[in-house]
Amino acid sequence: MSLIELEKIFQDKIDKEIRIEPKDWMPEKYRQTLIRQISQHAHSEIVGMLPEGNWITRAPTLRRKVTLIAKVQDEAGHGLYLYSSAETLGISRDEMVSQLNSGKAKYSSIFNYPTTSWADMGAIGWLVDGAAIMNQVPLCRNSYGPYARAMVRVCKEESFHQRQGFEILLVLSRGSEAQRKMCQNAINRWWWPSVMMFGPGDDASPHTAQSMKWKIKRFTNDELRQKFIDICAEQVKLLGMTLPDPDLKWNAAKGHYDFGAIDWTEFWNVVAGNGPCNKERLEARNKAHDDGAWVREAAVAYARKQKDKLSQTKVA
Ligand code: BYC
């Protein structure tokens, strides 16, 4: 069969909402796009453990500590499902991890901002996980089977994360003057980076058009960003706080909130590795990897021992 015929069969399947599975024929560019996106997504989950992990020892109560540990542990699980899903496309986990550790592979821009107060744990849950859910629910319907199935479980856990974050902020927002200030300050710092999480505007997004055609993406970056802003603009009222955008205003004609200009210079700086914490995050990640090397070596040694035992039993 010619390449053109294979591509036609492939696109027909996608148009009919038939999932693509690992052993199916797929265009090389589809495979590469998925590896890029899924590995970036997996790395984001793993690096995303760092800013919140910093607060486990400083959580204000036992209940908060237990919840935060569970959340950070969930992120590790998400990273692992996603690495497994990318492995079905023919890349090894070692390759993906070394691309992350060398700084070659990207991870979400949001994780290059520092967490400076307890209220940041609330703002990350509400805004960062909230933005993640907005982007990830449609990914449960993406065209590649292993990625779509992994996303179902990820999304269930993310919605718990979002609610725990909102509840942290709700408690602070009803607390002392200092707590209210801490809450507003965290919202001010996390708002714009969260809005940028959806990626560049559609006119500056090189991958969106093709990914929509392949149904890897179901909505464009700007469509999801708008939905996120519309929801947050209402939810912030329940907190009695404000979003740091003087241009945020309901537009009845459009049925959406208008919002202010996004600082894309900042976004591209962070993506290029020059954000407030880019260097620190990768150093911490590399250190964690080095520190954990014994776990992998022990696992390999154990597996070898078991194999030797098995072959000895067979000989006997
Ligand atoms: N950060 O053409 P575009 C979580 C890059 S973690 C950095 O729109 P695409 C959590 C993009 O890679 C969840 N880079 O690309 C964990 C591309 O660069 P290259 C994270 C970004 O792929 C712990 C270029 O900009 N979620 O929830 O069609 C604790 C042009 O972009 C970003 C995911 O990973 C960014 N924000 O669309 C708490 C979702 N945005 O590769 C929470 C899965 C764009 O050409 N990913 N770039 O050099 C996606 O849905 C899509 O990849 C994106 C971008 C919407 C992010």
Side-chain angles (χ1 to χ4, degrees), residues 159-222:
S159 67
F160 146 72
H161 297 171
Q162 198 243 5
R163 278 177 283 164
Q164 69 85 36
F166 191 79
E167 200 253 346
I168 289 176
L169 293 185
L170 196 60
V171 169
L172 291 175
S173 74
R174 292 172 180 174
S176 65
E177 188 49 32
Q179 285 171 318
R180 289 180 53 76
K181 263 195 188 147
M182 193 202 287
C183 179
Q184 183 63 61
N185 177 280
I187 295 172
N188 292 350
R189 282 179 293 107
W190 288 93
W191 174 246
W192 288 109
S194 303
V195 167
M196 292 179 204
M197 265 178 89
F198 294 91
D202 295 347
D203 51 355
S205 160
H207 304 299
T208 295
Q210 184 60 67
S211 288
M212 296 281 284
K213 198 167 168 237
W214 280 332
K215 297 189 180 170
I216 293 172
K217 281 174 143 177
R218 296 276 176 168
F219 296 96
T220 70
N221 300 355
D222 284 335

Side-chain angles (χ1 to χ4, degrees), residues 36 40 75 106 109 132 135-136 197 199 205-207 217 221:
R36 179 184 62 77
Q40 174 172 324
E75 313 297 357
K106 292 195 171 80
S109 51
N135 165 278
Q136 291 174 7
M197 265 178 89
S205 160
H207 304 299
K217 281 174 143 177
N221 300 355

Side-chain angles (χ1 to χ4, degrees), residues 110 113 123-124 126-128 130-131 183-198 224-236 242-248 257-262 266:
I110 193 77
Y113 292 87
I124 290 182
W126 175 43
L127 297 173
V128 176
C183 179
Q184 183 63 61
N185 177 280
I187 295 172
N188 292 350
R189 282 179 293 107
W190 288 93
W191 174 246
W192 288 109
S194 303
V195 167
M196 292 179 204
M197 265 178 89
F198 294 91
L224 292 173
R225 190 179 351 263
Q226 182 70 60
K227 283 181 189 226
F228 172 71
I229 291 174
D230 288 348
I231 286 182
C232 293
E234 291 299 318
Q235 289 178 341
V236 76
T242 55
L243 295 174
D245 179 358
D247 298 320
L248 192 71
Y257 275 87
D258 287 333
F259 55 94
I262 296 170
E266 175 182 320

Side-chain angles (χ1 to χ4, degrees), residues 45 47-58 68-69 71-72 75 111 115 118 120-125 128-129 161 164-165 168 281:
E45 300 284 357
V47 177
M49 294 162 72
L50 299 171
E52 288 174 293
N54 282 342
W55 280 86
I56 291 174
T57 54
R58 289 177 274 170
L68 190 59
I69 291 173
K71 179 183 191 284
V72 172
E75 313 297 357
F111 301 116
T115 42
W118 170 250
D120 288 23
M121 297 305 99
I124 290 182
V128 176
D129 289 273
H161 297 171
Q164 69 85 36
I168 289 176
R281 293 284 181 252

